[in-house]
């Protein structure tokens, strides 16, 4: 059973998500929070698998709450999916850098929301369908200047190559076709790179790829 915490200052939004999620046989809503501070407290007490976190909330906002959750070593198993009203939200990349596993617009299709919850539990990065590789690069261009990430040298040449392809938005299947290997082999390289770099999930691997200079804004692969 996947346990979800809903964090949004609008009770109607929470009610809508709860109705959808609780109707699924493999998902249950463990609790709700009306602001970021309450969300952090509820996460620490309930230990949900996934937090659906609104970016903009009064008091402690979603970004700050996400940092508090992902910085807590006792909460390493918790995945945060940011919720935003606008697809082109200026805080999206900052949210991913803060440790969020991805984001969704609030008016996303129900099937997409359910897929998102299930995907992040398995460590997959999540971006709404409308977020293209160019958009990822746009946010990456606003990030801090590249610096050599500790541990990047521990990657094999193939792992660095695969990580770069992850950084420009390719899926495991696309990476496999690009490198003429099986999807399972591509997934294995991605997983090994995540372990060596201490990345929580695929989304954080994308951030490291940009901030280490392995991938530069403007690359389309």
């Amino acid at each position: 059973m996947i346990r979800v915490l809903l964090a949004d200052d609008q009770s109607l939004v929470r009610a809508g998500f709860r109705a959808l999620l609780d109707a699924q046989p493999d998902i249950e809503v463990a609790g709700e929070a009306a602001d970021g501070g309450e969300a952090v407290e509820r996460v620490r007490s309930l230990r949900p698998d996934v937090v659906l976190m609104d970016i903009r909330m009064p008091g402690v906002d979603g970004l700050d709450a996400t940092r508090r959750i992902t910085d807590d070593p006792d909460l390493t198993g918790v995945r945060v999916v940011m919720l935003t009203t606008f697809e082109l939200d200026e805080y999206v990349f900052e949210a991913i850098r803060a440790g969020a596993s991805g984001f969704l617009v609030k008016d996303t299709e129900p099937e997409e929301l359910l897929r998102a919850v299930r995907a992040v539990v398995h460590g997959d990065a999540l971006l709404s369908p409308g977020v293209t590789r160019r958009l990822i690069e746009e946010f990456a261009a606003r990030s801090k200047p590249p610096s050599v990430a500790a541990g990047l040298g521990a990657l094999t040449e193939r792992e660095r190559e695969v990580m770069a392809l992850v950084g420009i938005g390719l899926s495991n299947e696309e990476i496999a076709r690009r490198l003429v290997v099986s999807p399972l082999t591509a997934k294995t390289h991605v997983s090994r790179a995540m372990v060596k770099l201490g990345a929580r999930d695929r989304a954080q691997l994308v951030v490291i790829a940009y901030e280490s200079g392995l991938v530069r804004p403007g690359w389309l692969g």
Side-chain angles (χ1 to χ4, degrees), residues 35-41 44 53-72 75 80 82 91 94-96 98-100:
D35 60 60
E38 184 181 6
V40 175
E41 293 178 2
R44 287 172 176 161
M53 181 87 72
D54 187 20
I55 288 184
R56 294 177 173 84
M57 291 185 287
V60 178
D61 65 18
L63 283 177
D64 193 8
T66 297
R67 291 190 188 95
R68 296 183 190 184
I69 293 170
T70 58
D71 286 346
D72 190 333
L75 303 176
V80 179
M82 306 301 297
Y91 297 114
E94 186 63 32
I96 295 177

Side-chain angles (χ1 to χ4, degrees), residues 45-114:
S45 63
L46 298 173
R47 302 299 173 93
D49 300 299
V50 179
V51 181
L52 293 181
M53 181 87 72
D54 187 20
I55 288 184
R56 294 177 173 84
M57 291 185 287
V60 178
D61 65 18
L63 283 177
D64 193 8
T66 297
R67 291 190 188 95
R68 296 183 190 184
I69 293 170
T70 58
D71 286 346
D72 190 333
D74 292 331
L75 303 176
T76 54
V78 180
R79 297 289 179 261
V80 179
V81 175
M82 306 301 297
L83 299 173
T84 177
T85 305
F86 307 104
E87 189 79 73
L88 300 178
D89 195 306
E90 62 182 306
Y91 297 114
V92 169
F93 193 79
E94 186 63 32
I96 295 177
R97 188 200 290 141
S101 295
F103 82 103
L104 287 170
V105 288
K106 290 185 178 180
D107 63 353
T108 189
E109 292 295 324
E111 294 77 12
E112 176 65 15
L113 176 65
L114 296 174

Side-chain angles (χ1 to χ4, degrees), residues 164-184:
L165 295 176
V166 170
I168 62 174
L170 270 62
S171 65
N172 288 342
E173 290 73 19
E174 291 170 326
I175 292 173
R177 288 196 294 270
R178 178 73 64 90
L179 301 180
V180 195
V181 298
S182 71
L184 179 59

Side-chain angles (χ1 to χ4, degrees), residues 2 9 36 38 79 82 137 143 152 166 185 207:
I2 301 172
D9 61 321
E38 184 181 6
R79 297 289 179 261
M82 306 301 297
E137 292 175 348
S143 67
L152 199 62
V166 170
T185 297
V207 175

Side-chain angles (χ1 to χ4, degrees), residues 208-219:
I208 296 173
Y210 278 105
E211 295 192 337
S212 67
L214 186 61
V215 176
R216 295 192 300 274
W219 285 13

